[in-house]
Amino acid sequence: EVQLVESGGGLVQAGGSLRLSCAASQFTFDDIGLGWFRQAPGKEREGVSCISSSDGTTYYANSVKGRFTISRDNAKNTVYLQMNSLKFEDTAVYYCAAAPVLGTCTPHEYANWGQGTQVTVSS
C-alpha cells in the first residue's frame, strides 16, 4: 500500500519559515507527480505546489510564488516544501499527495494522500 507521511508543521510567527517533508513508501519516485495541498477551515482543498519526479517541472499557486519552494530527493523518496515569509492566510492543514502524472496540481488528479500536518501562522 502506498504511504505518504508528512512532517514539519507547527506554529510560527508571520514572516517566519517552515520546511515540510513528505516521505513516500511502497512506490518509486521515478516518474510521478508529487504535490502539496492545503485546506483551511471552511475552505476547499487547494493546490499549493507540485513537482514532476522525473524532470523537476514545478507548479506554484499564485499566492505562494516567490515565497515557497518545492523540491524532491528521489534517492530518499522525499519531497519538501520550503515556506518562507509566511502569512496568516497560509494557516491550514498541509497534505502531501502523489499522482501518476504532474497534471495541473488540482486535488482531484491526486489519488494517494498523506494524513496532513498543521501549519499555523500567528499574526
Side-chain angles (χ1 to χ4, degrees), residues 21-22 31 34-36 41 56 62 65 74 77 102 108:
S21 299
C22 173
D31 188 15
L34 299 159
W36 287 98
N62 287 334
K65 281 182 180 177
N74 288 0
N77 276 7
L102 177 62
H108 75 271

Side-chain angles (χ1 to χ4, degrees), residues 8-60:
L11 174 64
V12 64
Q13 288 187 332
S17 298
L18 284 174
R19 188 176 84 153
L20 305 182
S21 299
C22 173
S25 62
Q26 305 302 322
F27 65 93
T28 62
F29 259 38
D30 291 346
D31 188 15
I32 60 173
L34 299 159
W36 287 98
F37 300 81
R38 67 187 181 187
Q39 188 166 19
K43 295 188 177 181
E44 293 186 354
R45 192 170 298 187
E46 63 175 353
V48 176
S49 183
C50 295
I51 187 169
S52 166
S53 66
S54 59
D55 63 10
T57 301
T58 57
Y59 163 90
Y60 291 96

Side-chain angles (χ1 to χ4, degrees), residues 8-9 12 16-20 38 48 67-69 81-86 90 94 119:
V12 64
S17 298
L18 284 174
R19 188 176 84 153
L20 305 182
R38 67 187 181 187
V48 176
R67 300 188 298 122
F68 290 10
T69 303
L81 185 68
Q82 178 67 42
M83 305 186 295
N84 298 328
S85 302
L86 282 161
D90 294 319
Y94 283 70
V119 171

